[in-house]
Amino acid sequence: MKSVFYNSSLDEAFLADSSLSLAKPKDIKDLGDGLFALLDGDKAIGFNLKHPSEHGLDLAEGLNPVLKGDNKAALEKLLSSKGYAGLGYGESSHFSVAKIIKEEEHPVFESSRILTLSIGGKTLSTVTRYANCHVGDKIVVKTEGYRFDGTIFEERVEKNIPIECEVCSPFELKASDEGKQAYIENSKEEGEDYFA
């Protein structure tokens, strides 16, 4: 997942690809206009952009999960002008609306449940400790890539149970300070990008 982070104290944006998160740049190339390519050989594994507002970008502090309208156009124009067209930074947040279709007790952890979810025609499995979500509820899950805290969600298997996504609380979505229950989504449809 390709994401855009903004640090207001530095007035700098960082364009990162979670699939390359362990890669370390071997070189930095100044592309001009405050844009620097982080390179591994000839491959750009990320970018730093100084003073993004000077390029028409209006970014929020931290992770900008999806770029819309003028922000998306401004970033694409800048990257294209430097020979890096179509990279897709900020196109999808991978925070998706899912519908719970099955729930069962976790065989090992007493306070957790296994959820089977439907997301736009796909079925995913996960485990949650949140007690406020049940069959029929729509919730928001992280399916891949960067979280707001800069860590990365990756699929895994725990206690023989596939964790193909993670259930988000309002706190994890920056919707409120509530971090002890799942965010229940009532206005968006199953399969929609929560931030689109």
Side-chain angles (χ1 to χ4, degrees):
M1 181 186 110
K2 295 183 176 178
S3 301
V4 178
F5 292 87
Y6 178 62
N7 183 324
S8 60
S9 64
L10 297 175
D11 194 17
E12 184 171 292
F14 174 54
L15 285 59
D17 186 336
S18 62
S19 67
L20 301 168
S21 65
L22 297 178
K24 293 188 178 177
K26 294 182 174 62
D27 195 15
I28 299 173
K29 183 177 180 182
D30 185 346
L31 302 174
D33 296 319
L35 183 66
F36 297 83
L38 310 176
L39 303 172
D40 183 2
D42 291 336
K43 182 176 183 171
I45 60 173
F47 297 89
N48 282 344
L49 176 61
K50 296 191 179 295
H51 315 298
S53 62
E54 292 177 6
H55 299 282
L57 289 158
D58 181 19
L59 301 174
E61 182 72 25
L63 175 66
N64 286 259
V66 175
L67 296 183
K68 299 178 187 176
D70 293 343
N71 274 340
K72 185 176 178 183
L75 183 58
E76 274 299 314
K77 180 180 176 184
L78 177 62
L79 291 174
S80 294
S81 74
K82 305 299 180 182
Y84 293 96
L87 295 180
Y89 285 95
E91 285 185 354
S92 172
S93 72
H94 295 282
F95 286 92
S96 301
V97 178
K99 186 172 185 176
I100 301 172
I101 56 176
K102 183 179 176 185
E103 61 183 302
E104 54 193 303
E105 289 182 23
H106 196 288
V108 178
F109 300 120
E110 192 174 304
S111 62
S112 295
R113 292 172 297 132
I114 301 167
L115 300 181
T116 303
L117 307 165
S118 175
I119 303 178
K122 292 192 307 185
T123 302
L124 299 179
S125 171
T126 194
V127 171
T128 186
R129 67 187 187 285
Y130 300 133
N132 70 312
C133 56
H134 302 285
V135 171
D137 287 337
K138 289 185 292 183
I139 58 176
V140 177
V141 296
K142 182 67 174 161
T143 57
E144 67 175 270
Y146 288 100
R147 301 175 182 102
F148 276 95
D149 66 4
T151 60
I152 297 172
F153 169 77
E154 294 179 305
E155 287 187 30
R156 61 196 181 279
V157 175
E158 292 179 358
K159 307 292 184 192
N160 294 324
I161 300 165
I163 310 296
E164 298 171 305
C165 60
E166 68 183 11
V167 180
C168 297
S169 70
F171 178 77
E172 292 161 328
L173 296 170
K174 291 200 164 193
S176 79
D177 290 335
E178 174 55 60
K180 296 185 179 183
Q181 59 184 333
Y183 181 85
I184 306 296
E185 174 54 55
N186 294 313
S187 61
K188 292 185 181 278
E189 295 300 316
E190 173 201 327
E192 281 189 61
D193 188 319
Y194 174 73
F195 288 101

